[in-house]
Amino acid sequence: MITFTSVSHTYRSLFRRVHAVEDFTLEIQAGEVFGLAGPNGAGKSTLISLMLGFMSPGRGAIRIDGVPPRAYVERSGIGFVSELMNVPPRWELRETLVRYALLAGIPSNEVKDRVDRAIELLGLAEHRGKRVKQLSKGNLQRLGIAQALLREERVLVFDEPTHGLDPVWSLRFRDIVSELRAGDRAVFIASHNLDELQRLCDRVAIIDHGRLERIIDLNAPPPVASRTSYRLTMANGHEHVAAVFPGATEGDEGAFELPPLELASLNAGLAALVGKGALVSALTPLESSLERAFREAVTEEQRV
């Protein structure tokens, strides 16, 4: 649905050139939630600006549903949440959403229902009469998400969508994304929060210095031979852990850090523990698959 083909973009100043994006090729399918991660200055903001049609690439092509981004936005629209909301501070919250609805081309007889639905979805009812300048950082971010959902757009772009949200609304945002999943819709999320991307996305692209380093399929099973460190929490049988898992180090509250293990070794060890009468209460990887891939990709790039 969204394709980048050999896209490059360079910022030029009087004294130097900055290659923000270089030879970037990617396809985002309809029906998926796609994530973008990278260090500061990696080129994420430039890619989003190109995808929204704010800028044109210096080289290469971007297409959304077969047409250039600007043409797609003018024809069909895109829901967009920027990292920092910039709304006139004297506008009231409900008034802001009404204005955005009218700008989005929503028929006047549907505006009230669309606005009220967005306010309810984002839990903003008690703030509907407040001016923007009175809103907390989290409530302002929820206002930004609400305006992006006024229309049922087929393309949604979220730039750091949980920036400023408290834990309750960070969790609620996950529910909202799940509800937005549809076979004809692409949801794009750029975030520094790798745990958030791990939970929300089907695939995540890792970008560094403007280049696509790798794409992680989060729905794919991990390679059988991959080695991962784990945190093992015991209800009883702590005394058996060191013998079953050499190199395990004990922490607090019955938890052990296990050295990197392949799945076969991990399962054999757990079976041995259970066979000795031990009770395992929790087992979690110390690093998610996305965290591990991000660290490897960025480290490799820095070595080049």
Side-chain angles (χ1 to χ4, degrees):
M1 185 175 186
I2 304 172
T3 60
F4 295 80
T5 306
S6 301
V7 171
S8 295
H9 190 78
T10 301
Y11 294 107
R12 294 177 174 84
S13 71
L14 194 60
F15 302 105
R16 64 176 185 144
R17 293 182 177 185
V18 177
H19 301 287
V21 177
E22 291 194 67
D23 197 26
F24 189 90
T25 296
L26 175 70
E27 183 172 357
I28 301 171
Q29 305 289 342
E32 74 174 331
V33 178
F34 192 93
L36 181 68
N40 290 330
K44 300 187 298 297
S45 296
T46 299
L47 277 175
I48 290 173
S49 294
L50 292 168
M51 183 166 51
L52 294 172
F54 295 158
M55 306 185 301
S56 297
R59 294 193 305 275
I62 305 169
R63 295 291 182 268
I64 303 178
D65 233 13
V67 300
R70 188 72 254 161
Y72 180 87
V73 170
E74 292 172 353
R75 183 189 72 187
S76 303
I78 286 179
F80 174 53
V81 177
S82 62
E83 180 178 0
L84 298 173
M85 282 290 293
N86 188 8
V87 181
R90 293 186 61 80
W91 288 6
E92 292 183 354
L93 185 146
R94 189 179 185 284
E95 172 195 8
T96 298
L97 290 174
V98 169
R99 290 176 184 241
Y100 276 121
L102 293 172
L103 286 172
I106 294 174
S108 57
N109 62 329
E110 297 180 17
V111 167
K112 181 181 183 301
D113 287 343
R114 297 285 187 100
V115 167
D116 289 346
R117 191 183 314 153
I119 287 174
E120 180 180 358
L121 180 64
L122 273 299
L124 293 168
E126 64 182 292
H127 307 292
R128 63 195 301 143
K130 289 183 180 178
R131 297 189 186 276
V132 168
K133 65 181 179 181
Q134 296 174 297
L135 299 177
S136 67
K137 189 174 183 179
N139 288 333
L140 184 61
Q141 190 69 4
R142 283 153 62 188
L143 172 61
I145 297 171
Q147 64 80 25
L149 302 182
L150 286 169
R151 288 184 14 143
E152 296 180 356
E153 306 287 10
R154 292 184 60 225
V155 177
L156 291 165
V157 178
F158 296 101
D159 186 8
E160 299 292 348
T162 57
H163 181 74
L165 295 186
D166 62 28
V168 171
W169 275 98
S170 292
L171 291 171
R172 177 58 185 138
F173 178 73
R174 295 175 190 170
D175 296 334
I176 290 172
V177 171
S178 295
E179 293 163 7
L180 289 171
R181 282 184 178 273
D184 64 342
R185 175 181 290 134
V187 180
F188 180 94
I189 303 173
S191 178
H192 286 106
N193 188 331
L194 298 180
D195 179 64
E196 177 179 270
L197 294 178
Q198 176 92 34
R199 293 171 181 273
L200 290 174
C201 299
D202 301 300
R203 294 188 298 151
V204 175
I206 299 175
I207 183 176
D208 196 13
H209 292 88
R211 292 187 175 275
L212 178 63
E213 294 299 324
R214 60 181 69 182
I215 298 175
I216 312 303
D217 184 349
L218 297 174
N219 295 321
V224 175
S226 65
R227 296 168 64 85
T228 304
S229 298
Y230 295 88
R231 177 183 171 87
L232 174 69
T233 306
M234 305 294 297
N236 64 41
H238 309 70
E239 65 276 11
H240 301 302
V241 174
V244 172
F245 293 110
T249 57
E250 186 171 5
D252 54 2
E253 300 179 358
F256 294 80
E257 183 175 324
L258 305 185
L261 296 166
E262 295 182 0
L263 287 177
S265 299
L266 174 67
N267 281 273
L270 292 174
L273 281 177
V274 173
K276 293 175 182 294
L279 288 177
V280 176
S281 60
L283 179 73
T284 55
L286 291 180
E287 205 175 38
S288 71
S289 60
L290 180 57
E291 288 171 331
R292 184 167 60 253
F294 183 88
R295 176 172 47 80
E296 292 170 354
V298 172
T299 301
E300 288 173 5
E301 169 66 19
Q302 291 173 348
R303 288 174 181 166
V304 175

